[in-house]
Coordinates of all heavy atoms in Angstrom, one line a residue:
T1222 N 8.9 4.3 14.4 CA 9.1 3.9 13.0 C 10.4 3.2 12.7 O 10.5 2.2 12.1 CB 9.0 5.2 12.0 OG1 7.7 5.7 12.2 CG2 9.2 4.8 10.6
A1223 N 11.5 3.8 13.3 CA 12.8 3.1 13.1 C 12.8 1.8 13.8 O 13.4 0.8 13.2 CB 13.9 4.0 13.7
I1226 N 11.1 -0.7 11.5 CA 11.9 -1.0 10.3 C 13.0 -2.0 10.7 O 13.1 -3.1 10.0 CB 12.5 0.2 9.7 CG1 11.4 1.2 9.2 CG2 13.6 -0.1 8.7 CD1 11.9 2.5 8.8
Y1227 N 13.7 -1.8 11.8 CA 14.8 -2.7 12.2 C 14.2 -4.0 12.6 O 14.8 -5.1 12.4 CB 15.6 -2.1 13.3 CG 16.6 -1.0 12.7 CD1 16.5 0.3 13.2 CD2 17.5 -1.3 11.8 CE1 17.3 1.3 12.8 CE2 18.4 -0.3 11.3 CZ 18.3 1.0 11.8 OH 19.1 2.0 11.3
A1252 N 9.8 -3.8 5.4 CA 10.9 -2.9 6.0 C 11.2 -1.8 5.0 O 11.4 -0.6 5.4 CB 12.1 -3.7 6.4
H1253 N 11.3 -2.1 3.8 CA 11.7 -1.1 2.7 C 10.5 -0.1 2.6 O 10.8 1.1 2.5 CB 11.9 -1.8 1.4 CG 12.3 -0.9 0.3 ND1 11.5 -0.7 -0.8 CD2 13.4 -0.1 0.2 CE1 12.1 0.2 -1.6 NE2 13.2 0.6 -1.0
W1255 N 8.3 0.8 4.8 CA 8.4 1.7 6.0 C 9.5 2.7 5.9 O 9.3 3.8 6.3 CB 8.5 0.8 7.3 CG 7.2 0.3 7.8 CD1 6.5 -0.8 7.5 CD2 6.4 1.0 8.8 NE1 5.4 -0.9 8.2 CE2 5.3 0.2 9.0 CE3 6.6 2.1 9.6 CZ2 4.3 0.5 10.0 CZ3 5.6 2.4 10.5 CH2 4.5 1.6 10.7
S1256 N 10.6 2.2 5.4 CA 11.8 3.2 5.3 C 11.5 4.3 4.3 O 11.8 5.4 4.5 CB 13.0 2.4 4.9 OG 13.0 2.0 3.5
V1257 N 10.8 3.9 3.2 CA 10.4 5.0 2.2 C 9.4 6.0 2.9 O 9.5 7.2 2.7 CB 9.8 4.3 1.0 CG1 9.2 5.4 0.0 CG2 10.8 3.5 0.2
S1259 N 9.3 6.7 5.9 CA 10.0 7.5 6.9 C 10.8 8.7 6.3 O 11.1 9.7 6.9 CB 11.0 6.7 7.7 OG 12.2 6.4 6.9
D1261 N 13.8 8.7 5.5 CA 15.2 8.6 6.0 C 16.1 7.9 4.9 O 16.0 6.7 4.6 CB 15.3 7.8 7.3 CG 16.7 7.9 7.9 OD1 17.7 7.6 7.2 OD2 16.8 8.1 9.1
R1262 N 16.9 8.7 4.2 CA 17.7 8.2 3.1 C 18.6 7.0 3.4 O 18.7 6.1 2.7 CB 18.5 9.3 2.4 CG 17.7 10.4 1.8 CD 18.5 11.6 1.3 NE 19.5 11.2 0.3 CZ 20.7 11.7 0.2 NH1 21.1 12.6 1.1 NH2 21.5 11.3 -0.7
E1263 N 19.2 7.1 4.6 CA 20.1 6.0 5.0 C 19.4 4.7 5.2 O 19.8 3.7 4.8 CB 21.0 6.4 6.2 CG 22.0 5.3 6.5 CD 23.1 5.8 7.4 OE1 22.9 6.7 8.2 OE2 24.2 5.2 7.4
L1264 N 18.2 4.9 5.9 CA 17.4 3.7 6.2 C 16.9 3.1 4.9 O 16.9 1.8 4.7 CB 16.2 4.0 7.1 CG 16.4 3.9 8.6 CD1 15.1 4.4 9.3 CD2 16.8 2.5 9.0
I1265 N 16.5 3.9 3.9 CA 16.1 3.4 2.6 C 17.2 2.6 2.0 O 17.0 1.5 1.5 CB 15.6 4.6 1.7 CG1 14.4 5.3 2.3 CG2 15.3 4.1 0.3 CD1 14.0 6.6 1.7
R1266 N 18.4 3.2 1.9 CA 19.5 2.5 1.3 C 19.8 1.2 2.0 O 20.1 0.2 1.3 CB 20.8 3.4 1.4 CG 20.8 4.7 0.6 CD 20.8 4.5 -0.9 NE 19.4 4.4 -1.5 CZ 18.7 5.5 -1.7 NH1 19.1 6.7 -1.4 NH2 17.5 5.3 -2.2
L1267 N 19.8 1.2 3.3 CA 20.0 0.0 4.1 C 19.1 -1.1 3.7 O 19.5 -2.3 3.5 CB 20.0 0.2 5.6 CG 21.2 1.0 6.1 CD1 21.0 1.3 7.6 CD2 22.5 0.2 5.9
M1268 N 17.8 -0.8 3.6 CA 16.8 -1.8 3.3 C 17.0 -2.3 1.8 O 16.7 -3.5 1.5 CB 15.4 -1.3 3.5 CG 15.1 -1.0 5.0 SD 15.5 -2.3 6.1 CE 16.9 -1.6 7.1
E1269 N 17.4 -1.4 1.0 CA 17.6 -1.8 -0.4 C 18.8 -2.7 -0.5 O 18.8 -3.6 -1.3 CB 17.8 -0.5 -1.3 CG 16.6 0.3 -1.5 CD 16.8 1.6 -2.2 OE1 17.9 2.0 -2.4 OE2 15.7 2.2 -2.7
C1295 N 24.9 9.2 1.6 CA 24.1 9.3 2.8 C 24.4 8.2 3.9 O 23.8 8.2 4.9 CB 22.6 9.2 2.5 SG 22.1 7.7 1.7
L1296 N 25.4 7.4 3.5 CA 25.7 6.2 4.4 C 26.8 6.5 5.3 O 27.8 7.1 4.9 CB 26.0 5.0 3.5 CG 24.9 4.5 2.6 CD1 25.4 3.4 1.7 CD2 23.8 3.9 3.4

Side-chain angles (χ1 to χ4, degrees):
T1222 299
I1226 293 168
Y1227 285 120
H1253 181 245
W1255 273 85
S1256 70
V1257 172
S1259 77
D1261 186 312
R1262 292 173 62 212
E1263 183 163 27
L1264 270 179
I1265 294 169
R1266 294 291 92 76
L1267 285 176
M1268 296 311 114
E1269 289 175 346
C1295 63
L1296 296 172

